[in-house]
Amino acid sequence: AQSVTQLDSHVSVSEGTPVLLRCNYSSSYSPSLFWYVQHPNKGLQLLLKYTSAATLVKGINGFEAEFKKSETSFHLTKPSAHMSDAAEYFCVVSDRNTGNQFYFGTGTSLTVIP
Amino acid sequence: DGGITQSPKYLFRKEGQNVTLSCEQNLNHDAMYWYRQDPGQGLRLIYYSQIVNDFQKGDIAEGYSVSREKKESFPLTVTSAQKNPTAFYLCASSIYGSDQPQHFGDGTRLSIL
């Protein structure tokens, strides 16, 4: 069965310091993995996706994620946090066995301290 | 400008009342989805549709109904059978395929009067 575990429900960082949001997944087949960001009372916006190409994926706003099959992980990173990065982040998995369904983690709330 | 439009942004329901949430997309996507978001629980799938006139139940379909009469539209009705409807509802669409990202609307917040 497909599932996603976001290891931290809340992460706080100081502005200008690195961001690490952790995600582990479970998938029976070659997965597709996504990170989305959600600002308050808004929909989700795609940050980046992995679909069996390069294992290091670059996204928008300076975010990137690395697919590690041996660790079943897809952690999201950013070298330097900005105040505008404060939001909720969701890791999502799907694969060809799920048809067109996607499985969401419970989210990580990122706080950026000035 | 392509995207997904959800309306209304805020909606209030009285006890015993059905309410319908609108979702329209002009992205020419085949697949559309409805999710419910509660604090600390992520997104849970209510219904999804891969093609016009066809839809499937998700994990929490009880108390909800949908229709897909047009490719662009996927309205969700929250019936009186849904005893705890207060939540943030998100509509999404995508090109069919597990490697295709979803595009989301800005949501409808439903509250009980």
Side-chain angles (χ1 to χ4, degrees), chain A residues 43 76 84-85 111:
Chain A
L76 182 70
S84 61
D85 294 327
T111 298

Side-chain angles (χ1 to χ4, degrees), chain A residues 32 34 36 38 41-44 46 49 51 90 94-96 98-102 104-106, chain B residues 9 31 33 35 37 42 45 48 50 88 90 94 96-102 104-106 109:
Chain A
S32 294
F34 309 83
Y36 290 86
Q38 184 183 33
N41 295 312
K42 290 290 189 180
L44 279 66
L46 179 70
K49 69 173 185 177
T51 55
F90 291 95
S94 68
D95 61 46
R96 60 182 176 86
T98 68
N100 222 37
Q101 289 193 59
F102 300 83
F104 287 74
T106 52
Chain B
K9 191 167 182 63
Y33 311 78
Y35 294 95
Q37 185 175 24
L45 182 65
Y48 66 103
Q50 298 175 1
F88 191 52
L90 286 162
S94 73
Y96 184 82
S98 63
D99 61 342
Q100 298 297 323
Q102 296 176 297
F104 286 83
D106 277 342
R109 188 167 296 281

Side-chain angles (χ1 to χ4, degrees), chain B residues 8 20 30 33-34 40 49 54 58 61-62 68-69 82 84-85 87 91 94 96-97 108:
Chain B
T20 297
D30 290 311
Y33 311 78
W34 274 105
S49 169
D54 187 45
E62 185 174 351
R68 186 89 186 273
E69 297 177 359
Q82 172 50 243
N84 184 25
C91 180
S94 73
Y96 184 82
T108 293

